[in-house]
Amino acid sequence: MAFDSLLEEARGRNPSATDEALIVSVAADLVELLDLNPPIEPEIVASYQGIGRVERSPLAWAGCLVSDGDDLIIRVRQTDSPGRQRFTICHEVAHTFFPGYRHSPQFRCTPLAARTRRDPIETLCDVAASELLLPARYVKSVTATSSFDLDTVESVAEECDASLEA
């Protein structure tokens, strides 16, 4: 059976799992497949997912994934901190885990201010971005040998080149 997306493929393997658990699994599998260790380079993950380039641009929103003919491009807001840009790149990469991502631009922090309820796909992309930047296998190994406190959280964020929010 052919699947249209990595999420649908994961659903086929584990139909009783939640989409959140499946998205974490897809992101973790990708990090493992690429044999990446923190700090993860988001551009490597993007390239593997068929994204041709990442551009820093003067955007009103954090980032977007757009199709330019046959090429996929991630654009991130050039004025954001490097940590936020890294998270945004991973968030946009996560859109490639879902069916139909090529059919319309995908935005992080959408410019459409009229939206009052966050799209569930955007939330799942944030979950995937966190897993890509802060792989659970790495975080679990650190927290297994350290006390779980703010110092440990700060240390993990620093080693992964991620923000505390991620």
Side-chain angles (χ1 to χ4, degrees):
M1 172 184 275
F3 294 100
D4 289 333
S5 70
L6 293 173
L7 176 59
E8 289 175 334
E9 186 177 319
R11 284 177 181 151
R13 287 190 311 269
N14 191 353
S16 63
T18 65
D19 281 352
E20 183 172 336
L22 294 171
I23 284 297
V24 168
S25 175
V26 167
D29 290 349
L30 188 54
V31 169
E32 187 173 327
L33 173 72
L34 296 173
D35 195 26
L36 300 174
N37 292 302
I40 304 296
E41 291 299 327
E43 287 84 356
I44 292 172
V45 181
S47 177
Y48 184 80
Q49 285 301 106
I51 296 164
R53 64 185 184 276
V54 175
E55 298 175 350
R56 271 78 180 166
S57 304
L59 302 174
W61 53 93
C64 59
L65 174 66
V66 296
S67 178
D68 181 17
D70 290 336
D71 293 333
L72 286 174
I73 302 164
I74 291 176
R75 293 191 176 110
V76 294
R77 186 170 38 215
Q78 65 189 18
T79 55
D80 282 348
S81 69
R84 182 166 170 96
Q85 287 181 11
R86 288 169 48 77
F87 187 88
T88 297
I89 294 166
C90 289
H91 172 101
E92 296 306 329
V93 166
H95 279 288
T96 67
F97 302 170
F98 294 88
Y101 67 90
R102 283 186 172 267
H103 301 300
S104 63
Q106 307 296 318
F107 293 94
R108 176 163 187 258
C109 301
T110 181
L112 304 174
R115 289 191 178 179
T116 56
R117 191 174 148 261
R118 190 148 193 244
D119 183 335
I121 291 177
E122 294 302 310
T123 301
L124 290 172
C125 286
D126 282 349
V127 169
S130 292
E131 178 61 32
L132 290 170
L133 282 179
L134 299 150
R137 65 180 165 81
Y138 170 76
V139 173
K140 286 177 184 177
S141 72
V142 170
T143 57
T145 59
S146 305
S147 58
F148 187 74
D149 56 18
L150 186 56
D151 288 339
T152 302
V153 172
E154 288 174 339
S155 175
V156 167
E158 185 177 315
E159 289 180 37
C160 292
D161 200 8
S163 67
L164 289 175
E165 294 83 2

